[in-house]
């Protein structure tokens, strides 16, 4: 069974952390992954920086830009990850845009992910129909889960189609904005979370965008299996450095005094 599916079966709310590979420094990638697992993260989304990040807010854009300046690219990231499964057991997902994968070759990219022990991909700009018609069989051949995003504006018909072709979880975007753009959830977002929960989809939902602390993590996971934090973690890395990762995860999970 894919590590993502194994993790989703655990009787707990899941914390997934996103960061940009190659940031703050080019060779921080592995240290960040190892420290996140050690200090309570359940899944990690490794951002593959791209020069035109459509869904990313300013914090993630800035980290991606710096990572690109540091020298990160697909080959460098794959080389960094070559021994990752010797030390890390939790699910690892590469999140990035389709262009670098297309340039690398979709099947070659998927084969390399399988070789390295990557469990899934999140590709915000790959339309679900195109994936279903052209690439689903390739992803399945290499044991990769493709995670799709839904927003408050996604139609019921579309959500049901995404659910029908998904094999892991659905990435539930909390609002129709870019990452890092809000703090706290209002009634409209809470009712959206409940509406999706009440659809009883076969795939659990993990909520991303706008989660930055223990309170928003708790709000998000009331109606969902887990929550994804990106911008707030990158700000923490920027301000406190790689050595202080435990401070961040402990504050989110409220374990510092337990």
């Amino acid at each position: 069974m894919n590590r993502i599916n194994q993790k989703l079966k655990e009787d707990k709310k899941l914390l997934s952390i996103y960061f940009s590979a190659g940031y703050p420094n080019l060779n921080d990638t592995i240290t960040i992954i190892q420290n996140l697992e050690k200090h309570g993260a359940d899944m990690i989304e490794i951002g593959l920086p791209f020069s035109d990040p459509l869904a990313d807010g300013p914090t993630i854009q800035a980290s991606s830009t710096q990572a690109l300046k540091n020298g990160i690219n697909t080959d460098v990231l794959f080389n960094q990850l070559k021994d990752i499964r010797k030390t890390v057991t939790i699910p690892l997902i590469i999140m990035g845009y389709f262009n670098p994968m297309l340039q690398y070759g979709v099947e070659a990219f998927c084969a390399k992910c399988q070789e390295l022990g990557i469990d899934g991909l999140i590709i915000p700009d790959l339309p679900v129909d195109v994936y279903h018609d052209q690439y689903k069989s390739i992803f399945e051949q290499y044991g990769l889960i493709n995670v799709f995003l839904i927003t408050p504006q996604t139609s019921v018909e579309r959500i049901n189609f995404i659910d029908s072709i998904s094999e892991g979880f659905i990435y539930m975007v909390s609002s129709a904005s870019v990452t890092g753009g809000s703090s706290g959830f209002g009634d409209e977002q809470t009712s959206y979370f409940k509406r999706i929960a009440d659809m009883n989809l076969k795939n659990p939902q993990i909520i991303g965008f706008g989660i930055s602390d223990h309170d928003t993590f708790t709000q998000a996971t009331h109606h969902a299996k887990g929550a994804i934090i990106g911008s707030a973690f990158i700000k923490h890395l920027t301000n406190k450095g790689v050595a202080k990762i435990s401070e961040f995860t402990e504050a989110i999970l409220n374990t510092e005094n337990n």
Side-chain angles (χ1 to χ4, degrees):
M1 182 186 289
N2 186 291
R3 292 180 194 88
I4 294 171
N5 297 121
Q6 290 176 326
K7 181 61 69 172
L8 291 168
K9 288 182 180 296
E10 294 184 10
D11 185 21
K12 61 178 292 194
K13 299 298 186 179
L14 303 182
L15 172 62
S16 183
I17 300 282
Y18 169 95
F19 75 100
S20 301
Y23 180 85
N25 300 298
L26 179 61
N27 293 318
D28 285 337
T29 306
I30 300 306
T31 305
I32 291 171
I33 293 170
Q34 291 170 336
N35 284 349
L36 282 172
E37 177 175 44
K38 180 180 178 183
H39 296 293
D42 296 294
M43 290 194 286
I44 299 172
E45 295 174 16
I46 305 164
L48 177 57
F50 181 53
S51 55
D52 189 22
L54 301 174
D56 297 335
T59 299
I60 292 177
Q61 280 194 28
S63 68
S64 295
T65 298
Q66 185 59 52
L68 290 167
K69 289 178 181 175
N70 291 345
I72 199 68
N73 59 41
T74 304
D75 287 319
V76 170
L77 176 58
F78 283 160
N79 187 57
Q80 289 178 345
L81 295 172
K82 67 182 187 297
D83 295 320
I84 193 64
R85 285 303 175 193
K86 292 180 179 178
T87 57
V88 172
T89 62
I90 60 174
L92 299 176
I93 299 170
I94 290 180
M95 183 170 184
Y97 293 89
F98 196 48
N99 188 280
M101 300 176 193
L102 207 55
Q103 288 183 338
Y104 195 90
V106 175
E107 183 162 359
F109 191 95
C110 290
K112 191 67 178 177
C113 286
Q114 182 187 54
E115 176 190 326
L116 297 170
I118 299 299
D119 303 291
L121 298 173
I122 302 173
I123 313 167
D125 61 339
L126 175 59
V128 59
D129 313 80
V130 175
Y131 166 78
H132 179 259
D133 294 342
Q134 298 182 34
Y135 300 111
K136 186 172 187 284
S137 61
I138 298 174
F139 279 59
E140 290 174 345
Q141 179 184 344
Y142 293 100
L144 293 170
I145 286 174
N146 195 22
V147 177
F148 296 101
L149 285 72
I150 63 170
T151 74
Q153 285 69 44
T154 306
S155 69
V156 170
E157 180 184 29
R158 193 74 165 172
I159 292 169
N160 282 323
F161 177 61
I162 287 171
D163 189 45
S164 72
I165 68 166
S166 296
E167 298 296 339
F169 66 90
I170 292 172
Y171 189 134
M172 195 170 153
V173 177
S174 67
S175 63
S177 64
V178 295
T179 57
S182 60
S183 58
F185 298 120
D187 292 341
E188 188 175 335
Q189 287 165 308
T190 303
S191 64
Y192 158 59
F193 298 161
K194 185 177 186 302
R195 173 171 64 86
I196 301 301
D198 289 345
M199 289 180 70
N200 294 313
L201 302 173
K202 74 179 177 77
N203 292 277
Q205 300 88 57
I206 297 183
I207 297 175
F209 291 46
I211 298 150
S212 59
D213 53 25
H214 177 69
D215 288 344
T216 45
F217 178 78
T218 303
Q219 279 184 284
T221 56
H222 182 70
H223 292 294
K225 178 62 179 174
I228 300 159
I229 302 178
S231 296
F233 177 66
I234 290 172
K235 287 177 184 174
H236 182 86
L237 280 179
T238 303
N239 296 328
K240 299 287 187 75
V242 174
K244 300 288 187 179
I245 285 174
S246 61
E247 285 184 13
F248 184 83
T249 54
E250 286 168 3
I252 297 296
L253 298 170
N254 201 23
T255 57
E256 65 264 45
N257 297 316
N258 296 346

